[in-house]
Amino acid sequence: MSDCRTRYPGPVTQAQIHPHSLVDQGFAEDAALAAVLDRYPADLFDINLYDYDDAGQVSLRTGARGDLSGEELLEAIKQGRLWVNLRGVETGWPELWQAAMTDFRAIQATYPGMRAVRNAGQLILSSPKARVPYHFDAAGVVLFHLRGRKRLFVYPGDEAHLAERNMEQVVARQTTEELPYTLAFENDAQVMDLEPGRALTWPLYAPHRVENLDRFCVSLSMDFQTWPSRFRNGALFTNAVIRRLGGRPRFTDRMTKPELAARWAASLAFKRAGAMKSRIATFQRDFEPRLGVADGAGALAGPVNSSS
């Protein structure tokens, strides 16, 4: 198996572990987490439950913030099977974000030519046996691990594991980030275990999935965009529009840099014109965290719509 895990050029060619300082600064301690949960805006919570069949196929339920205190919510996560993302860490927890950016710049310096032009983050609090399904991120990622133990499975970013047609649908927000998956992919996985104080990078777009190793886990997932990744995302969006109109767009890895830039520019015009309306702008939440119930998830009185 080749060392390079993706057909898309970029400074990160394989999964690699780096040190970071966030654990030593106390960001993963119970008191700090409970205080953040108390004050974090409810519309920035993503609370998920994933269920899997014997073939590894996933079904997703989404939850609402509910009325638990920060301390109670933390306990519900520890006791249940929840995967909680706090989006917008750059504004929701600026102290953590400032510290993480210092570590990010040190990691970035180890990759010649990598220049992030935009960063965003989400704090992930997840139950001891939680798992995240096979998916990809339309950005570069540094996963700072702060507490517990996590196992990541990183797969090649070729057409067999990551079909561009599926990528187009994700970038155009027609589907969520989950990808078609088969158990045979496990033969191609690069498996990495993460301990607190370690951060993981992987190649742009490389599909991956995550398993917690029987402990409550805390991580900060930092997305970053470079100009090359912005151009490629724009090209994928434009290709989604072309395909919907009946065209058969070329793969982006066969495009020159000027072609990618031109399709990125076209994507801006398409977005302004509303050419591809998001199909995941709203979704139904059907549970909220509860202490002492199965999976840490209690039923809502009625379904709740919320922006994603």
Side-chain angles (χ1 to χ4, degrees):
M1 184 167 51
S2 169
D3 284 342
C4 184
R5 307 291 291 179
T6 180
R7 66 193 186 276
Y8 303 106
V12 184
T13 60
Q14 59 184 333
Q16 187 171 342
I17 291 176
H18 305 265
H20 71 79
S21 66
L22 303 181
V23 176
D24 293 340
Q25 298 181 60
F27 291 113
E29 296 176 3
D30 279 1
L33 296 173
V36 166
L37 290 170
D38 267 329
R39 69 171 186 262
Y40 221 83
D43 62 343
L44 294 179
F45 275 75
D46 291 332
I47 303 179
N48 298 328
L49 263 174
Y50 297 105
D51 292 299
Y52 300 82
D53 64 19
D54 291 342
Q57 303 305 305
V58 66
S59 59
L60 167 67
R61 295 172 59 200
T62 59
R65 164 65 175 85
D67 57 4
L68 296 182
S69 69
E71 185 176 356
E72 290 169 334
L73 178 54
L74 189 61
E75 286 305 309
I77 300 169
K78 289 180 180 181
Q79 296 172 15
R81 198 166 50 83
L82 304 174
W83 192 276
V84 179
N85 297 333
L86 306 183
R87 289 177 279 113
V89 172
E90 54 273 23
T91 55
W93 197 354
E95 298 85 1
L96 171 59
W97 186 250
Q98 182 178 1
M101 282 300 298
T102 298
D103 283 324
F104 172 80
R105 284 188 285 268
I107 292 170
Q108 178 175 250
T110 68
Y111 295 103
M114 190 167 100
R115 296 290 181 270
V117 295
R118 179 179 298 171
N119 297 70
Q122 58 185 2
L123 184 66
I124 303 170
L125 310 179
S126 50
S127 298
K129 294 185 179 181
R131 294 187 289 162
V132 169
Y134 185 79
H135 70 286
F136 88 104
D137 300 291
V141 176
V142 178
L143 182 66
F144 296 94
H145 193 51
L146 283 75
R147 183 166 169 178
R149 296 177 61 236
K150 248 187 220 309
R151 178 165 293 162
L152 279 94
F153 301 77
V154 182
Y155 304 81
D158 55 19
E159 182 67 11
H161 297 82
L162 182 66
E164 274 216 351
R165 186 166 188 159
N166 294 326
M167 296 172 68
E168 294 166 10
Q169 294 299 295
V170 172
V171 170
R173 296 179 63 79
Q174 303 301 292
T175 65
T176 56
E177 295 173 342
E178 288 77 32
L179 296 166
Y181 169 80
T182 173
L183 290 174
F185 288 174
E186 295 311 306
N187 296 327
D188 306 315
Q190 181 181 6
V191 183
M192 313 283 285
D193 285 354
L194 270 187
E195 303 284 347
R198 295 292 179 262
L200 183 64
T201 58
W202 55 82
L204 178 66
Y205 301 139
H208 53 281
R209 64 181 185 88
V210 187
E211 295 181 359
N212 287 354
L213 299 178
D214 296 319
R215 297 182 191 176
F216 167 67
C217 285
V218 179
S219 302
L220 172 65
S221 179
M222 181 184 289
D223 297 347
F224 65 91
Q225 295 286 358
T226 62
W227 274 111
S229 71
R230 293 184 75 183
F231 285 163
R232 193 171 302 277
N233 285 347
L236 289 165
F237 187 97
T238 296
N239 280 2
V241 175
I242 294 170
R243 196 180 299 279
R244 193 183 69 170
L245 295 174
R248 299 180 64 183
R250 293 199 308 135
F251 288 129
T252 65
D253 64 330
R254 298 176 186 172
M255 295 181 184
T256 64
K257 290 181 180 179
E259 285 180 287
L260 291 169
R263 297 226 170 179
W264 168 74
S267 75
L268 301 181
F270 283 135
K271 290 175 183 178
R272 285 194 298 269
M276 293 285 281
K277 298 291 187 183
S278 173
R279 293 184 179 177
I280 59 171
T282 61
F283 52 88
Q284 289 247 319
R285 302 183 190 257
D286 65 359
F287 72 89
E288 61 186 35
R290 282 282 177 259
L291 286 167
V293 299
D295 299 329
L300 292 172
V304 176
N305 285 322
S306 179
S307 297
S308 63

